[in-house]
Every structure is written in C-alpha cells, then in structure tokens.
Amino acid sequence: MTTKSTLPSRGMRVFFLLCALAMIWPGALLANRIEPMVMGLPFFMFWYIAWVFAMFVGLVICYRRDSAEEVDDE
C-alpha cells in the first residue's frame, strides 16, 4: 500500500511563503506608504489586497491539481 503525500509541491510552498513574507516584514516595509493611490486605496492597502488575491489564485491552482490527481487515482 502506498501513501500519498498531502503536502503541496515545493514550488507552491515557496509561492505561499513569498506571499506571506510580502504581507509581513520585509514586504510591508516596501509598501508602507500612502502615495501613490491605486484605485482609490492607499498603496499599503492595495498591496495587501493584491497579495490576498494572489494567495487565492494559488489555492485554486492547488485545489484543482489535487482534485485532478484524485480522479486519476480512481
């Protein structure tokens, strides 16, 4: 009997680590400013929203890849 690894691939783990670091130190230091305004939001708020959206896209990709592997296993 083989056991399937439940961890995401190394690339996805690096991607999520990059997203997390962009939202805390040191990424927040780069974006910690009010100007320029992007879509009516201070840059700092836009920075956080953009990274949350990037993490959402990464989670969708992980979910679809995992779902495709489960279908192939059956």
Side-chain angles (χ1 to χ4, degrees), residues 28-60:
L29 293 177
L30 298 172
N32 193 11
R33 61 192 74 181
I34 294 174
E35 296 292 332
M37 298 289 274
V38 182
M39 295 187 294
L41 294 171
F43 186 70
F44 191 64
M45 290 299 295
F46 173 75
W47 178 266
Y48 267 63
I49 291 169
W51 282 107
V52 167
F53 182 72
M55 290 181 78
F56 168 73
V57 170
L59 284 171
V60 169

Side-chain angles (χ1 to χ4, degrees), residues 3-67:
T3 59
K4 182 181 172 188
S5 174
T6 59
L7 290 175
S9 68
R10 172 174 266 162
M12 291 308 290
R13 285 184 284 180
V14 169
F15 173 74
F16 287 120
L17 179 65
L18 176 72
C19 288
L21 289 176
M23 293 175 67
I24 56 174
W25 184 91
L29 293 177
L30 298 172
N32 193 11
R33 61 192 74 181
I34 294 174
E35 296 292 332
M37 298 289 274
V38 182
M39 295 187 294
L41 294 171
F43 186 70
F44 191 64
M45 290 299 295
F46 173 75
W47 178 266
Y48 267 63
I49 291 169
W51 282 107
V52 167
F53 182 72
M55 290 181 78
F56 168 73
V57 170
L59 284 171
V60 169
I61 291 169
C62 281
Y63 174 76
R64 290 193 178 192
R65 182 180 297 160
D66 192 39
S67 295

